[in-house]
Amino acid sequence: MTSYSYASSLGDTSYRAVETRARLDALARLLDSAIRVPGTNIRFGADALLNLVPGVGLLTSKGMSAYLIWEARRLGVPLPTLLRMVGHVGVDFVISAIPVVGWVGDAFYRSNLRNMDLLRRHLDKAHPMASPIQR
């Protein structure tokens, strides 16, 4: 079964939710865990790398985090959950603002993956993924 026929069997709204989930999941992984340090299980992402560029890097990485929250709002995530998501990014912002320590903190405090987990829980309730049609 092609991805189109599977997606069309989900219905238009659910298909958009699946598409959005995949896109935002990829963004969260890119920001928080895209690169693995060889020989270890330590992972970091573009968020940590962007914070090496003073000012602009911090604003860019937090701007992408804000986009994830904006999309969550668009998908109907309730206000208390959105506030938790904002809190995660706020903590990340405070950690990132500290020179040198912030870079290390970014490697271990993964606000975008935490926010994706909250979004995924909401989408699982609001747009449950249908199982593919068996042939």
Side-chain angles (χ1 to χ4, degrees):
M1 177 178 271
T2 66
S3 62
Y4 176 75
S5 60
Y6 170 67
S8 64
S9 71
L10 293 175
D12 192 39
T13 303
S14 293
Y15 175 64
R16 281 197 305 263
V18 169
E19 252 185 356
T20 302
R21 178 190 306 226
R23 182 170 36 85
L24 295 177
D25 208 18
L27 176 62
R29 280 193 317 271
L30 172 72
L31 288 171
D32 287 347
S33 65
I35 303 164
R36 185 175 62 85
V37 176
T40 70
N41 285 329
I42 298 172
R43 299 184 75 83
F44 63 94
D47 192 13
L49 294 175
L50 285 168
N51 287 329
L52 292 174
V53 181
V56 175
L58 179 63
L59 292 176
T60 302
S61 67
K62 299 315 165 233
M64 288 189 280
S65 296
Y67 171 73
L68 195 146
I69 295 170
W70 180 78
E71 284 285 347
R73 183 190 152 280
R74 192 179 64 78
L75 290 167
V77 171
L79 183 61
T81 305
L82 287 173
L83 292 175
R84 283 183 65 194
M85 294 172 85
V86 169
H88 289 153
V89 174
V91 168
D92 192 23
F93 179 81
V94 169
I95 291 170
S96 299
I98 303 167
V100 181
V101 173
W103 187 83
V104 174
D106 274 335
F108 295 103
Y109 187 80
R110 298 177 176 142
S111 64
N112 298 297
L113 290 176
R114 291 171 191 248
N115 287 344
M116 242 347 266
D117 186 49
L118 292 172
L119 178 58
R120 199 175 297 112
R121 286 185 212 167
H122 167 74
L123 291 175
D124 287 346
K125 290 177 189 172
H127 304 281
M129 302 213 4
S131 60
I133 298 171
Q134 302 293 324
R135 285 195 159 182

